[in-house]
Amino acid sequence: MKLQRKNRVRALAVGALAVSGALALTACGSDNTTGGSGGGSSAKAANIKCDGKGKLLASGSSAQKNAMDVWVQNYAGACQGTEINYQPTGSGAGITTFLQGQTAFAGSDSPLKPEEITKSKAVCKGGQAIDLPMVGGPIAVGYNVPGVDNLVLDAPTLAKIFDSQISNWNDPAIKKLNPGAKLPDLKIQAFHRSDDSGTTDNFTKYLKAASGGAWKHEPGKKWEGTGGQAASGSAGVSSQVKQTSGAISYFELSYATSGKIPTVKVATGAKAPVEATVDNASAAIAAAKPAGQGNDLALKLDYATKAEGAYPITLVTNEIVCDKGNKADTLPATKSFLTYVSSKDGQDALKALGYAPLPTEIADKVRKTVATLS
């Protein structure tokens, strides 16, 4: 037991520092004997019930990559016997791979579309794919403008910036929102995702909902805005912002935090502009409405919220999994891992990484649904 605790501490330390690469880590098996009986055992130091052996493959959202890094490290520290491999390929690619029957679950920053649910019935024998909310957080708008450390923008202005209608940092619309700032005569370098992205989907849903008609394009995983420059993944666009003078882009707060990139405060119509913080994102996510049916727990976010302290540009990453018809060789480990990540311990690990833990009511529903997977 002492050795397990020591390994647990080491795993936590390593997990907190993990920032890159695909995850292929040894985790969880029923031969870990810290108590219990039957097919699994409880790793008390980590409050993780370890079930299943073999290889568990998953892929999808790059937004949750930093969370997955820590979760898999913590899981590996508590359990042995199952290899968990999560590839941060992007939401669109993750769903495609899942629907081809190649992975146990997928991460997506957008809920499943009706046609995807229909298609999933060929993979989920006797059932269908469902959305399980797991990771919440703000989509930060990061910028690199020399001499400007406190920048306020609103939805109409952001829409025009990302649609090439505002092209310079000293534009009158930006000046109006930042009367005390020394805005330079500098060209705006707007970066967007080159890959199909749930982050793009949520960001453009915000622009469409809150810009009063300034954003003319339909929201979606594929970028439809005019002009700008493209880069792959959240890591790609955040890297471009960090190294490019005049740059602006959208990515999860964890990338802004780790890259020390300043972020925009968003004027929503509330008394004060709202900063991209975990707590402010949690306030917006807590007001989300159920959008799924049956065991599907998809949420509908209010991107046009004007509530005090609610950050409107948020996303919720769902784990996409079969409600019935899961493969027998991966089902125990899938349930074990998803139970851990939706637990209080799993969710508490998120805040320091720049993610918003799920509201308790939602997390409870997720765990109850995971328990019914078959």
Side-chain angles (χ1 to χ4, degrees):
M1 191 65 183
K2 290 182 179 179
L3 179 58
Q4 283 186 327
R5 287 184 176 136
K6 184 177 180 181
N7 289 342
R8 170 68 177 147
V9 171
R10 185 186 303 119
L12 283 168
V14 173
L17 294 174
V19 294
S20 64
L23 302 177
L25 299 168
T26 318
C28 195
S30 59
D31 57 343
N32 183 352
T33 55
T34 58
S37 61
S41 56
S42 174
K44 297 178 181 178
N47 294 318
I48 297 173
K49 183 178 183 296
C50 303
D51 281 320
K53 286 188 176 183
K55 181 176 289 187
L56 190 65
L57 300 178
S59 66
S61 165
S62 65
Q64 69 172 357
K65 176 196 170 301
N66 293 338
M68 276 289 176
D69 283 348
V70 171
W71 280 338
V72 176
Q73 289 282 5
N74 290 354
Y75 196 69
C79 310
Q80 299 174 358
T82 296
E83 181 183 321
I84 300 178
N85 188 309
Y86 182 81
Q87 299 280 348
T89 55
S91 298
I95 289 177
T96 297
T97 303
F98 176 79
L99 293 178
Q100 292 171 345
Q102 298 180 29
T103 52
F105 67 89
S108 176
D109 306 322
S110 302
L112 289 162
K113 296 177 180 179
E115 59 268 28
E116 291 170 336
I117 293 176
T118 299
K119 189 174 181 180
S120 74
K121 294 178 181 180
V123 176
C124 306
K125 303 298 183 182
Q128 65 181 41
I130 57 174
D131 297 278
L132 298 178
M134 204 66 75
V135 181
I139 301 174
V141 180
Y143 66 95
N144 181 346
V145 183
V148 180
D149 298 322
N150 188 8
L151 183 67
V152 175
L153 296 173
D154 59 13
T157 306
L158 281 166
K160 293 174 183 177
I161 286 172
F162 281 94
D163 207 27
S164 300
Q165 297 176 48
I166 293 177
S167 58
N168 207 285
W169 280 109
N170 63 356
D171 186 274
I174 302 177
K175 283 184 175 181
K176 185 177 180 180
L177 290 164
N178 299 273
K182 294 181 180 179
L183 296 165
D185 182 6
L186 178 66
K187 183 179 179 180
I188 294 174
Q189 307 282 350
F191 286 89
H192 58 265
R193 292 278 290 271
S194 60
D195 52 319
D196 285 1
S197 160
T199 308
T200 293
D201 189 25
N202 284 274
F203 182 62
T204 54
K205 282 178 179 175
Y206 159 73
L207 294 179
K208 188 71 172 181
S211 69
W215 186 253
K216 307 296 184 183
H217 313 281
E218 287 304 310
K221 293 185 179 74
K222 183 178 180 180
W223 183 257
E224 299 289 350
T226 303
Q229 303 176 65
S232 179
S234 296
V237 291
S238 61
S239 177
Q240 289 296 328
V241 170
K242 189 171 180 63
Q243 66 189 25
T244 306
S245 180
I248 186 171
S249 190
Y250 56 94
F251 36 81
E252 296 70 44
L253 181 61
S254 61
Y255 290 88
T257 301
S258 61
K260 298 182 179 178
I261 300 170
T263 61
V264 168
K265 292 181 180 178
V266 178
T268 64
K271 293 179 181 178
V274 185
E275 188 176 356
T277 68
V278 168
D279 289 339
N280 292 344
S282 291
I285 293 170
K289 304 297 184 183
Q293 297 181 349
N295 285 333
D296 192 302
L297 302 181
L299 299 172
K300 183 178 181 180
L301 299 166
D302 181 6
Y303 299 97
T305 180
K306 296 181 181 179
E308 298 297 326
Y311 184 76
I313 320 176
T314 57
L315 62 75
V316 173
T317 301
N318 302 289
E319 311 310 336
I320 308 298
V321 66
C322 294
D323 60 354
K324 298 178 182 178
N326 289 277
K327 294 178 181 179
D329 58 339
T330 59
L331 177 61
T334 298
K335 294 176 71 171
S336 172
F337 181 68
L338 294 182
T339 297
Y340 160 61
V341 301
S342 60
S343 71
K344 186 177 186 302
D345 283 353
Q347 291 294 307
D348 283 350
L350 295 179
K351 195 166 183 179
L353 301 173
Y355 296 102
L358 293 175
T360 301
E361 181 181 355
I362 296 173
D364 288 345
K365 289 181 179 179
V366 170
R367 287 194 299 277
K368 289 178 181 177
T369 301
V370 170
T372 69
L373 300 180
S374 62

